[in-house]
Amino acid sequence: MSQLPSSGPAADSVIGPDLASLAGLLADRTRATMCLAMLDGRAWTPTELARLAGVAPSTATGHLHQLVAGGLLTEERRGRHRYLRLAGPDTAEMIESLASHAPLRATPVRSLADAHRRRALAHARTCYDHLAGTVAVAITEAMTQRALLDWDFGPSLTEAGRAWLRELGVDDHPAHGSRRAHVRTCLDWTERRPHLAGAVGAALFRHALDHGWLTRKGTTRVITLTESGRSALRERLGLTLQPPDARPASVSPEESAPCRGTGGAAR
């Protein structure tokens, strides 16, 4: 019978998570700013990220190499062009969770256009691959009131909720082999109440985009609720939502701020 070595690196070392290494990747403000921006779910070029972070392209490249090597970002090559995005939903949710413990930094409203942009962001925006903002919170609360979501043991779909999704044409089954939470919530950055996230939140968001209920505004995080979307929400959830300009301007943090993960009930 073979014996374990009594000395040497294999005997003296214990394999464990290098949390300090991961924390070090996000301890730099430039790298953290880039990761927060990529919570919009799209692929960014190094030039775009350098401009966003206010650093030279060569400086941005060095930071991006570290984030890719550390497993937080993935790199895509399209011809001569290079694109970067977060490594996946798990990475995004980890960054959101860390951000939930970070202090808030308020930014002043400097113009009327800035005020309109903040209203639009507070009303509806992307939070990686699901919807955030007033619209998302209203949907989550309406689903709770109609007993489509249950909060006794954390957020979960009820049988009525699964039937409701099937009626919409949304698959309510967890993806085979996926470690991602089927149903979870994020504490909304601007509303301070939970909105639906996880695989179900992402599936609902895709469904709304595919059916023209929601549309993206350019390459920003802003999402527009269309007239057909308003009609669908009235018909299916009894919701009547006003356009963002009908709401008071929110005092919101900067545009790249994520939502915060939570398991609390919607009240």
Side-chain angles (χ1 to χ4, degrees):
M1 179 182 295
S2 61
Q3 296 182 342
L4 293 174
S6 58
S7 63
D12 299 336
S13 300
V14 176
I15 297 175
D18 188 357
L19 185 59
S21 176
L22 174 62
L25 288 173
L26 295 173
D28 180 89
R29 191 174 297 280
T30 296
R31 291 194 292 272
T33 297
M34 292 174 171
C35 288
L36 288 173
M38 283 184 275
L39 282 172
D40 67 358
R42 70 183 180 93
W44 290 65
T45 67
T47 300
E48 290 172 327
L49 290 166
R51 188 181 304 117
L52 170 86
V55 298
S58 58
T59 301
T61 296
H63 286 301
L64 292 170
H65 281 320
Q66 292 182 62
L67 291 169
V68 170
L72 294 183
L73 303 185
T74 58
E75 182 180 14
E76 300 174 8
R77 295 279 184 175
R78 301 176 191 170
R80 295 181 300 171
H81 300 288
R82 179 188 179 207
Y83 295 88
L84 298 113
R85 64 168 73 243
L86 291 178
D90 289 345
T91 300
E93 291 174 7
M94 180 269 294
I95 292 172
E96 291 172 4
S97 179
L98 289 175
S100 70
H101 299 283
L104 302 180
R105 289 191 301 155
T107 56
V109 176
R110 301 185 184 279
S111 66
L112 183 60
D114 190 26
H116 285 313
R117 177 182 61 82
R118 293 190 185 205
R119 285 194 187 98
L121 280 168
H123 189 66
R125 64 187 179 276
T126 56
C127 184
Y128 191 64
D129 61 356
H130 59 272
L131 185 67
T134 303
V135 176
V137 169
I139 289 171
T140 304
E141 292 183 346
M143 290 179 68
T144 300
Q145 292 166 3
R146 293 185 171 225
L148 306 179
L149 286 176
D150 179 77
W151 297 85
D152 288 343
F153 302 99
S156 62
L157 287 171
T158 64
E159 184 55 45
R162 288 188 285 271
W164 183 79
L165 286 177
R166 288 193 295 270
E167 182 182 340
L168 284 179
V170 177
D171 186 3
D172 66 304
H173 295 92
H176 180 69
S178 174
R179 296 182 301 169
R180 188 181 190 189
H182 188 49
V183 180
R184 66 181 292 271
T185 58
C186 286
L187 180 62
D188 197 272
W189 186 261
T190 51
E191 294 295 312
R192 315 297 289 181
R193 289 175 289 166
H195 67 240
L196 190 63
V200 169
L204 274 174
F205 183 49
R206 287 194 304 271
H207 181 86
L209 289 171
D210 291 344
H211 286 74
W213 298 351
L214 301 173
T215 59
R216 298 180 186 270
K217 186 174 182 180
T219 58
T220 71
R221 292 182 65 190
V222 174
I223 295 294
T224 300
L225 177 63
T226 66
E227 283 305 316
S228 63
R230 294 182 198 283
S231 297
L233 291 180
R234 281 195 301 269
E235 176 186 345
R236 299 178 183 278
L237 288 174
L239 285 175
T240 301
L241 295 170
Q242 299 298 321
D245 285 342
R247 304 175 66 241
S250 297
V251 180
S252 61
E254 42 195 9
E255 179 174 346
S256 61
C259 57
R260 299 178 171 193
T262 178
R267 299 297 183 200

